[in-house]
Amino acid sequence: MKKARIEAGGQARDVTVAADGSFLLPGGERFEPGTWRWLPPAHTVIYGLALNFADHARELKFAELPSEPIPFIKNPSSVVGHLAEVVRPAGVRYMHYEGELGVVIGREARRVSREEAMDCVSGYTICNDFTVRDFVGNFYRPPIKAKGFDTFGPVGPWIVDAADIADPHEMSIQTRVNGELRQDGNTRDLIFDIPTLIEWFSEFMTLAPGSIISTGTPHGLSDVKPGDTVEVRIDGIGSLVNPIVAE
């Protein structure tokens, strides 16, 4: 099942996306909005990971892989939906995308063991972790400014139920800019897998229902500028598309 949020008639609506692309309200009634737009399916804090793909670490010329997760947090003001504009800040030299699998937490998680971790997952979505490389100096210092600009956290278009994903550690991730393939990876290559990440985060903080762990990006970064359109596609979920505009 695909669960989404849209804005129609000035109101946010929780809907299910049917196989034909139509919307159903929680009671099963078909919903046919006139003018509407996609909202993030979960408007919340995103817990991100730097260097969670070995090929991405090599791309950035790291001699050694991290021995534990390198986290950062995206504020809710960064989170936008499918087809929303992403604003390139004025004066920056290098801004790039990072196509990633988003893991949606379904219940409160605190001190969860690796063996229990997947029971905390309600579904999966697509994240695009936009970053201004100008402000990244040391991966072991949280890149809050580099990744925290408003609109820098597109999520969507929907959340696919965990039960509908056969293996979240065997999912293709591809990112295209203006239709040209730039990233082509697979979640089988995560350095720290999903149970490890949930266990690690929940050891020192409570993960709330609806929060998202964005699991990291494969290699293939490139600068994007106003006028570009970025599409992240993950098998079994769909495509998240966002245009880049000038500040």
Side-chain angles (χ1 to χ4, degrees):
M1 182 181 296
K2 298 174 180 176
K3 299 173 183 175
R5 298 190 81 219
I6 63 171
E7 183 185 87
Q11 290 187 317
R13 299 273 190 165
D14 292 308
V15 296
T16 298
V17 183
D20 62 0
S22 63
F23 299 136
L24 303 177
L25 294 172
E29 177 186 356
R30 190 172 296 275
F31 182 52
E32 298 181 0
T35 301
W36 60 276
R37 68 184 180 96
W38 295 98
L39 296 176
H43 193 71
T44 183
V45 173
I46 296 175
Y47 301 98
L49 279 302
L51 303 179
N52 202 28
F53 277 77
D55 59 2
H56 179 49
R58 289 192 293 270
E59 175 183 31
L60 298 176
K61 304 188 186 311
F62 276 75
E64 297 181 2
L65 299 182
S67 59
E68 66 175 354
I70 305 172
F72 60 88
I73 294 177
K74 277 188 182 283
N75 192 58
S77 69
S78 297
V79 182
V80 295
H82 177 53
L83 300 181
E85 295 177 338
V86 174
V87 179
R88 178 175 171 125
V92 303
R93 296 187 300 274
Y94 186 10
M95 168 182 164
H96 61 78
Y97 47 81
E98 295 190 12
E100 308 191 2
L101 175 67
V103 178
V104 184
I105 301 299
R107 64 174 177 84
E108 186 175 283
R110 179 73 167 107
R111 297 192 183 280
V112 175
S113 70
R114 176 182 172 81
E115 291 71 28
E116 301 171 316
M118 297 305 286
D119 294 336
C120 299
V121 177
S122 62
Y124 301 93
T125 189
I126 304 171
C127 299
N128 196 340
D129 172 24
F130 281 95
T131 305
V132 173
R133 182 60 48 182
D134 309 33
F135 304 128
V136 178
N138 184 332
F139 276 96
Y140 295 92
R141 295 176 182 172
I144 299 300
K145 184 175 183 180
K147 295 175 177 287
F149 284 89
D150 289 353
T151 76
F152 266 33
V155 177
W158 41 64
I159 296 168
V160 175
D161 284 350
D164 294 334
I165 300 296
D167 184 357
H169 298 101
E170 191 62 51
M171 301 180 77
S172 170
I173 302 175
Q174 294 185 328
T175 303
R176 288 177 167 82
V177 179
N178 304 326
E180 180 182 338
L181 184 64
R182 301 289 176 87
Q183 291 184 297
D184 190 3
N186 194 291
T187 56
R188 75 170 77 95
D189 297 321
L190 291 173
I191 298 172
F192 303 105
D193 64 10
I194 295 167
T196 298
L197 294 174
I198 292 173
E199 180 182 55
W200 189 84
F201 276 110
S202 71
E203 189 277 328
F204 63 91
M205 68 166 67
T206 300
L207 297 174
S211 58
I212 296 173
I213 297 176
S214 193
T215 54
T217 198
H219 82 289
L221 304 184
S222 63
D223 191 24
V224 289
K225 297 179 180 179
D228 289 339
T229 298
V230 183
E231 176 190 8
V232 182
R233 179 169 184 80
I234 299 182
D235 284 350
I237 301 179
S239 292
L240 172 66
V241 178
N242 298 93
I244 310 300
V245 299
E247 185 175 25

